[in-house]
Amino acid sequence: MKAKIYVTLKRGVLDPQGKAIRASLSHLGIDGVEDVRVGKFMEITLKEIGAEEARRRLDEACRRLLANTVIEEYRIEIGGQG
Amino acid sequence: MKAKIYVTLKRGVLDPQGKAIRASLSHLGIDGVEDVRVGKFMEITLKEIGAEEARRRLDEACRRLLANTVIEEYRIEIGGQG
């Protein structure tokens, strides 16, 4: 089974990488971009353990390894083909 | 207006970061994960320039700055509240 995890900075936390991207786009002449926030995105392939158990394990994975919960929040999507 | 950009490694390109995450999860006792692929995820706030124009500019942004199209592919989603 497949799952997706999105890790993003919490609202209010400064995102210097996003600011750098916005500035670079402007220098390239690509206008109209007001703000950029950068996050991580993970596509997970799991054994067939059931959606509930998968969510439990991925939640633990996020809390212990994948997200810094002081400054980041995460979202888990179970299912889908890709 | 809002947009999201997902940048992922093309199928077949090795993902050492994903492999490292999979190994770390296993060391933490979180089993059942067969594969992890890591990508980037960007939340963009744009001026109100219309969906078609927004997509055109973000496509250019991806090709020129945000994605390495030799090894990465990207997907643009226009709209949504965040």
Side-chain angles (χ1 to χ4, degrees):
Chain A
M1 65 194 299
K2 297 277 189 182
K4 288 177 185 173
I5 297 174
Y6 304 86
V7 179
T8 48
L9 286 169
K10 286 182 180 171
R11 215 172 286 271
V13 177
L14 279 178
D15 183 352
Q17 192 182 1
K19 291 274 177 283
I21 288 173
R22 196 187 65 165
S24 296
L25 289 175
S26 177
H27 293 148
L28 286 172
I30 300 172
D31 296 318
V33 174
E34 289 184 338
D35 192 41
V36 179
R37 306 276 291 172
V38 183
K40 278 175 290 186
F41 165 59
M42 279 158 274
E43 296 174 306
I44 316 278
T45 307
L46 291 145
K47 289 182 183 147
E48 292 299 333
I49 52 177
E52 199 175 323
E53 177 64 15
R55 185 173 294 278
R56 199 192 61 74
R57 291 194 196 176
L58 292 181
D59 192 74
E60 184 183 354
C62 285
R63 282 183 287 106
R64 294 180 65 193
L65 181 70
L66 303 174
N68 173 355
T69 55
V70 176
I71 57 167
E72 293 173 325
E73 58 194 6
Y74 58 87
R75 186 161 59 83
I76 298 167
E77 266 178 25
I78 306 282
Q81 284 312 301
Chain B
M1 64 194 299
K2 297 276 189 183
K4 289 177 184 172
I5 297 174
Y6 304 87
V7 180
T8 49
L9 286 169
K10 287 183 180 172
R11 214 172 287 271
V13 177
L14 279 177
D15 183 352
Q17 192 182 1
K19 291 273 176 284
I21 289 174
R22 196 187 66 165
S24 296
L25 290 175
S26 178
H27 293 149
L28 286 172
I30 300 172
D31 296 318
V33 175
E34 290 184 337
D35 192 41
V36 179
R37 306 275 292 173
V38 182
K40 278 174 288 185
F41 165 60
M42 279 157 274
E43 296 175 307
I44 316 279
T45 308
L46 292 145
K47 289 185 183 145
E48 294 297 335
I49 52 177
E52 197 174 325
E53 177 65 15
R55 185 173 294 276
R56 199 192 60 73
R57 290 194 198 177
L58 292 180
D59 193 75
E60 185 183 353
C62 285
R63 282 183 286 107
R64 292 181 64 192
L65 182 71
L66 302 174
N68 173 355
T69 55
V70 177
I71 57 167
E72 293 173 326
E73 57 194 6
Y74 58 87
R75 186 161 59 83
I76 298 167
E77 266 177 26
I78 305 284
Q81 284 311 301

